[in-house]
């Protein structure tokens, strides 16, 4: 059994609106948002963890590279549970790293490091955790994308309106790097 809560983010949520309360969420029933071809599901965020970390999943089809970006105050981990995801990271000295992560593999991205990823196989799934002194960014997905109650991938890609790229990312410690080049991509 899963309870429904009302939060400042959503009228109906499986996530309680505050910290200090145990809860359980059935598979896939966290707060979901569609962004491009992917579905992001948040299971715990800043409100539940006193802004110490978030826990979310990203599921998607094989696709294009997610735009390069960085987080000034947030560390991010990528744990692949299904499929394959190629992670691109540039360290603070400018050295670029690229790794194909498959089921069971883990990638760590320190704060201030440009990074991007590309889902390499259909039905891939990433478990993400982000933490840092700046708080958490889990509400980025639904504010740049669109909240959904649907289970599964979007039937039509959700492309945000251009003006959202100028406002939403900064609120959630996300800086897009449109001119960033990955040497391995040519």
């Amino acid at each position: 059994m899963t309870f429904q809560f009302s939060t400042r983010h959503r009228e109906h949520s499986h996530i309680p609106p505050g910290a200090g309360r145990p809860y359980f969420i059935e598979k896939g029933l966290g707060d979901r948002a569609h962004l491009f071809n992917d579905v992001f599901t948040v299971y715990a965020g800043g409100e539940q963890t006193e802004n110490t970390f978030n826990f979310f999943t990203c599921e998607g089809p094989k696709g294009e590279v997610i735009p390069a970006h960085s987080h000034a105050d947030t560390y991010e981990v990528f744990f692949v549970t299904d499929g394959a995801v190629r992670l691109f990271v540039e360290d603070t000295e400018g050295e670029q790293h690229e790794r194909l992560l498959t089921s069971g593999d883990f990638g760590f991205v320190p704060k201030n490091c440009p990074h991007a990823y590309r889902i390499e196989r259909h039905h891939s799934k990433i478990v993400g955790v982000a933490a840092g002194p700046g708080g958490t960014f889990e509400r980025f997905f639904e504010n740049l994308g669109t909240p959904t109650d649907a289970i599964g991938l979007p039937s039509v890609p959700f492309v945000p309106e251009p003006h959202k790229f100028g406002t939403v990312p900064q609120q959630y410690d996300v800086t897009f790097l449109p001119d960033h080049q990955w040497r391995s991509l040519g």
Side-chain angles (χ1 to χ4, degrees):
M1 174 168 57
T2 302
F3 291 94
Q4 287 284 327
F5 299 98
S6 180
T7 72
R8 66 186 177 101
H9 302 288
R10 292 173 177 257
E11 187 176 318
H12 301 288
S13 175
H14 297 286
I15 304 173
R21 197 174 176 176
Y23 63 95
F24 306 91
I25 298 175
E26 294 173 29
K27 180 180 178 179
L29 294 182
D31 290 351
R32 294 178 303 285
H34 288 159
L35 182 55
F36 302 111
N37 291 311
D38 303 331
V39 61
F40 292 86
T41 306
V42 175
Y43 292 92
E47 287 182 321
Q48 295 74 42
T49 67
E50 297 176 347
N51 275 334
T52 57
F53 72 94
N54 64 21
F55 184 94
F56 61 93
T57 60
C58 169
E59 296 178 65
K62 182 177 180 178
E64 302 297 319
V65 173
I66 299 301
H69 61 284
S70 66
H71 310 288
D73 288 317
T74 306
Y75 299 86
E76 188 172 5
V77 300
F78 291 75
F79 183 78
V80 176
T81 60
D82 296 298
V85 176
R86 188 169 303 278
L87 181 60
F88 303 88
V89 182
E90 183 173 297
D91 64 29
T92 56
E93 286 79 41
E95 185 177 347
Q96 291 189 0
H97 308 268
E98 175 190 332
R99 181 67 53 99
L100 179 66
L101 304 175
T102 59
S103 183
D105 290 342
F106 173 90
F108 176 74
V109 179
K111 66 181 183 175
N112 290 312
C113 290
H115 58 286
Y117 66 91
R118 179 176 61 216
I119 295 178
E120 300 284 5
R121 291 186 197 143
H122 292 300
H123 306 290
S124 291
K125 186 174 188 176
I126 304 164
V127 172
V129 176
T136 62
F137 64 70
E138 71 279 352
R139 297 299 168 184
F140 165 81
F141 306 117
E142 65 193 33
N143 282 284
L144 187 61
T146 185
T148 184
D149 289 327
I151 303 240
L153 301 176
S155 56
V156 175
F158 179 84
V159 178
E161 296 175 22
H163 75 276
K164 283 190 161 189
F165 286 100
T167 57
V168 172
Q170 292 79 14
Q171 297 169 11
Y172 298 98
D173 191 28
V174 177
T175 301
F176 283 112
L177 307 166
D179 297 324
H180 193 81
Q181 298 294 314
W182 299 106
R183 286 186 289 279
S184 63
L185 293 176

